Amino acid sequence: MQELWQIQYSWLIPLLPLAGAVIAGFFGAKWLKGQSHWPIWIGVGASAVISLSLLFSMMGMSHPGAETANGSPATLAVNKVFYQWVSAGDPAHAGTARFFDASAGFLFDPLTAVMLSVVCGIGFFITVFSAGYMKGEEGYFRFFAYLGLFIFAMTCLVMGNNLLMLYLGWEGVGLCSYLLIGYYYERPSAREAAKKAFLVNRVGDFCFGLGIMLSFMAFGTITFFSGTSQHNGLLELAPSGNLT
């Protein structure tokens, strides 16, 4: 499964909406103006194509309980690690609360493929609808920059291979929600609604962070799927979640 081109170039899925957001944000006010939706359309649309093709490619593969030709258990989970992000403690105590490590990477399984298709596919149609709905509004470029950032954060949330990556995606989604809700910042009602959303999200962030710490204390890891012979990922430690 790791040979699939969609997984080899998976970094494009979050990068393309982010690139569209940067282009719309920096060049929209002076040059793009009423055409600021095009970078977002192209970026999110390309990510949707990659996500949908990944989903269709996985449909023809065996389910996690099946066996390969040599009799070993088959798996539809791929842990793609880009680099080791955080490492603290003694590696000899890996898998315990005495060693913490978190990588920057993505986890691909059937659920990830479905959710990426939902986020990027429906997100693309939302951006298309928004172009007509927001036409003529002041700060048109700013709205589409926020949308691109929102979809970037959502893809990071869906693709993250550990709870820390998930948390960062969640924080990005919360920030973009605040920006989109407060888009009409000159209106007191919009400012108050954005402030309320921000404060409520902070409560969720605190509880989420506490849950990550408790998970690490209980299982000695925050990674979903280790991809090693130690089988010490959260999903591998779950009674019914052995992926290998």
Side-chain angles (χ1 to χ4, degrees), residues 70-88:
N70 60 9
S72 60
T75 177
L76 284 181
V78 172
N79 186 24
K80 186 175 180 61
V81 177
F82 295 104
Y83 61 89
Q84 193 67 20
W85 183 17
V86 182
S87 181

Side-chain angles (χ1 to χ4, degrees), residues 93-169:
H93 298 286
T96 69
R98 299 176 63 183
F99 176 70
F100 177 85
D101 69 318
S103 60
F106 300 143
L107 172 66
F108 295 95
D109 61 4
L111 180 59
T112 302
V114 170
M115 293 308 299
L116 280 176
S117 300
V118 170
V119 169
C120 297
I122 296 179
F124 173 73
F125 289 117
I126 291 174
T127 61
V128 172
F129 172 81
S130 298
Y133 186 80
M134 298 297 293
K135 186 176 181 180
E137 291 287 343
E138 185 178 356
Y140 183 81
F141 74 96
R142 180 164 47 88
F143 178 83
F144 279 93
Y146 294 163
L147 273 185
L149 284 174
F150 184 88
I151 295 175
F152 161 74
M154 281 294 295
T155 56
C156 291
L157 186 155
V158 169
M159 297 167 66
N161 67 344
N162 58 66
L163 290 175
L164 191 57
M165 290 286 292
L166 177 65
Y167 188 83
L168 288 179

Side-chain angles (χ1 to χ4, degrees), residues 2 5 13 27 35 44 55 57 82 88 90 103 105 107 118 131 133 137 164 167 172-173 185 218 220 227 233:
Q2 58 268 22
W5 69 267
I13 298 177
F27 301 103
Q35 303 299 318
V44 177
L55 177 62
S57 296
F82 295 104
D90 186 356
S103 60
L107 172 66
V118 170
Y133 186 80
E137 291 287 343
L164 191 57
Y167 188 83
V173 169
Y185 58 86

